Amino acid sequence: MARNVVVVGTQWGDEGKGKIVDWLTESAQGVVRFQGGHNAGHTLVVGGSEFRLSLVPSGIVREGVACFIGNGVVLDVDHLLKEVAALETAGIEVRSRLRVSWGCPLILPYHAALDRAREAARPETERIGTTGRGIGPAYEDRVGRRAVRVYDLFDVERLREKVSANVHLYNGWLRELGGTPIKVEEAVEPLRAAAEVLRPMVADVAAELYRINREGGNLLFEGAQGTLLDVDHGTYPFVTASNCVAGAAATGAGVGPTRLHYVLGIVKAYATRVGGGPFPTELETEVEGGPGWQMSQRGREFGTVTGRKRRCGWLDLAALKRAIVINGVTGLCVTKLDVLDGLRELRVCVGYELEGKRLELLPLGAEAVEQCRPIYEVWPGWEESTAGARRWEDLPPAARAYLHRIEEFCEVPIDVVSTGPERNETILRRHPFGA
């Protein structure tokens, strides 16, 4: 019987989902991106080679696996085709295996221009930390029922008509913000050439996914960003523009919710965040030798897409528990455990003090989270190396105790532990696909 697994980040993104998706594709016939855009990146290390992906699903580096971009993804066609070309240069067959939904809303030049102009106009303390790639405005167009979708690419008159109406609207906003207006042809002409290159990869993704399941194939749904950046459930307004939670796999790919059988929540052994917004357990990363410095340096905490340095902090179990509640997490995968090797003691946030009360779940909204004072437990660290460990028994007793505390607090089993970037640097306790 077919089994479908959803992989989601349970923090502020950058949890190491790409490596885990790639590793799990050994048991899947198809991998599906269902939300976000090219603002989120995944770095994969396979056989010593590094692959940086932001739109193409992580399953593409596993030979023979079909990959899908669902209708919930906002698509920059130019970026997608460049990513495809880079993968092909690396010797990976892409075009016969990648399918893009007819329904994907397109990201056009006026989206990125408005994104950047808005961010620049905000006071520094109120900046969201957007990548400036037009993701938010593209999602606004979808909700506002003015989006240009993939299927519009193949009707030149309709494409020009829709783009012209949007350019008129966006140029008014850009002038108010001091931005440079966009010309209609600047948006339309590149799309006309790209459309014919893209056409063979466009498909009815929902129907394709249904067919794979009907024929007994497993599907893996790959989330981007993380739960705490979800537009509804994250630290609003310091969030992304899409729903990053497991339930979004249904609407963003066109599958029924009863066909999502297992949710794997990915969590770093510590916490990171990029851009603005509250971060209760944040540490100083510039003091050499401190825990935050070690997390930043050893964890190589720089964004795949932007190169921005990530903020680092202690693991926040109260925030993780919130993500588990929202996603219905079946099992956890802890990544980057080896980054903590050598720390004498570890702190773990198990709740907050807010207005004289104790909370055991992260509250909603940035304002409330900003006022939270973390409540810590202190746990002993370990001197031994966990890097590359492949069995639970190979982990130091203190590392196992740390992981057991995560399970105990969250009431969810840790089914997978990642101890390095390579596929085989993984400890499996229970397989998400039941294999």
Side-chain angles (χ1 to χ4, degrees):
M1 177 181 290
R3 184 170 170 86
N4 298 331
V5 171
V6 186
V7 174
V8 292
T10 59
Q11 296 165 304
W12 285 282
D14 309 309
E15 299 94 350
K17 297 180 292 294
K19 177 245 172 126
I20 299 303
V21 170
D22 168 64
W23 175 70
L24 284 171
T25 52
E26 185 177 23
S27 300
Q29 282 64 57
V31 180
V32 191
R33 269 287 305 274
F34 58 86
Q35 49 81 216
H38 64 306
N39 56 335
H42 292 158
T43 301
L44 310 181
V45 179
V46 181
S49 298
E50 187 171 273
F51 299 91
R52 294 174 180 265
L53 306 173
S54 55
L55 275 173
V56 177
S58 299
I60 201 69
V61 298
R62 179 84 67 167
E63 187 176 350
V65 175
C67 292
F68 301 90
I69 297 176
N71 58 275
V73 174
V74 285
L75 188 70
D76 183 311
V77 175
D78 180 63
H79 184 92
L80 174 65
L81 295 182
K82 287 179 179 176
E83 196 170 319
V84 168
L87 286 165
E88 289 176 335
T89 299
I92 295 175
E93 169 55 36
V94 179
R95 300 183 198 216
S96 66
R97 298 164 50 208
L98 178 64
R99 294 294 174 263
V100 179
S101 171
W102 289 95
C104 288
L106 299 180
I107 299 175
L108 297 172
Y110 47 79
H111 293 128
L114 182 63
D115 203 0
R116 292 191 294 267
R118 281 177 173 170
E119 188 77 343
R122 292 187 179 101
E124 189 170 347
T125 56
E126 297 177 15
R127 288 178 182 170
I128 305 300
T130 172
T131 60
R133 297 182 174 225
I135 310 300
Y139 274 115
E140 290 175 37
D141 277 2
R142 185 182 72 167
V143 175
R145 295 185 285 274
R146 57 179 177 265
V148 180
R149 294 180 179 260
V150 166
Y151 53 66
D152 294 315
L153 290 173
F154 308 108
D155 185 323
V156 176
E157 291 308 312
R158 185 171 68 200
L159 174 65
R160 189 180 301 277
E161 181 181 329
K162 286 190 173 185
V163 169
S164 296
N166 284 350
V167 165
H168 178 74
L169 180 65
Y170 273 78
N171 280 347
W173 291 330
L174 286 169
R175 289 188 185 97
E176 286 183 14
L177 293 167
T180 303
I182 300 295
K183 296 178 181 179
V184 172
E185 292 307 312
E186 189 179 333
V188 172
E189 284 308 310
L191 292 176
R192 293 181 63 180
E196 294 312 308
V197 181
L198 185 65
R199 187 189 290 269
M201 293 181 275
V202 176
D204 184 341
V205 166
E208 288 288 309
L209 300 180
Y210 184 81
R211 176 188 58 78
I212 290 173
N213 271 173
R214 187 181 58 201
E215 294 174 357
N218 296 332
L219 295 172
L220 184 60
F221 294 84
E222 176 183 19
Q225 289 100 13
T227 300
L228 303 182
L229 292 176
D230 184 274
V231 69
D232 286 314
H233 300 285
T235 49
Y236 190 90
F238 298 94
V239 293
T240 192
S242 63
N243 288 111
C244 312
V245 295
T251 55
V255 301
T258 56
R259 290 166 54 203
L260 306 177
H261 305 116
Y262 178 107
V263 178
L264 182 64
I266 314 297
V267 57
K268 271 180 185 165
Y270 50 102
T272 62
R273 178 164 197 166
V274 173
F279 186 1
T281 65
E282 186 171 9
L283 292 166
E284 173 60 61
T285 59
E286 301 301 325
V287 179
E288 187 171 347
W293 182 86
Q294 177 167 319
M295 294 169 188
S296 178
Q297 297 301 312
R298 189 180 293 178
R300 299 173 64 190
E301 295 299 350
F302 298 88
T304 299
V305 171
T306 64
R308 289 183 297 179
K309 190 174 182 178
R310 297 174 186 141
R311 301 152 66 190
C312 299
W314 297 117
L315 179 61
D316 190 335
L317 292 183
L320 175 58
K321 187 68 175 284
R322 169 68 69 183
I324 287 168
V325 168
I326 294 167
N327 287 291
V329 169
T330 312
L332 290 170
C333 169
V334 177
T335 64
K336 292 197 170 184
L337 182 67
D338 55 300
V339 171
L340 301 181
D341 293 354
L343 291 178
R344 291 188 176 183
E345 69 173 32
L346 306 173
R347 294 188 172 223
V348 181
C349 176
V350 293
Y352 317 100
E353 183 181 315
L354 178 63
E355 297 178 348
K357 297 180 180 178
R358 177 169 176 147
L359 302 179
E360 293 192 355
L361 288 178
L362 188 77
L364 296 179
E367 293 82 3
V369 176
E370 190 68 57
Q371 297 175 50
C372 285
R373 294 179 57 191
I375 299 169
Y376 288 114
E377 289 181 353
V378 179
W379 285 77
W382 53 89
E383 294 293 332
E384 306 95 320
S385 173
T386 64
R390 300 179 189 179
R391 298 186 310 156
W392 181 260
E393 297 76 16
D394 294 337
L395 296 176
R400 294 200 299 269
Y402 182 70
L403 296 174
H404 277 310
R405 180 57 178 137
I406 296 172
E407 291 182 309
E408 179 185 56
F409 185 92
C410 295
E411 302 178 298
V412 171
I414 294 173
D415 287 343
V416 183
V417 181
S418 174
T419 58
E422 290 279 2
R423 287 171 176 167
N424 59 5
E425 294 176 324
T426 307
I427 296 170
L428 175 64
R429 301 178 76 195
R430 182 177 61 150
H431 204 293
F433 280 109

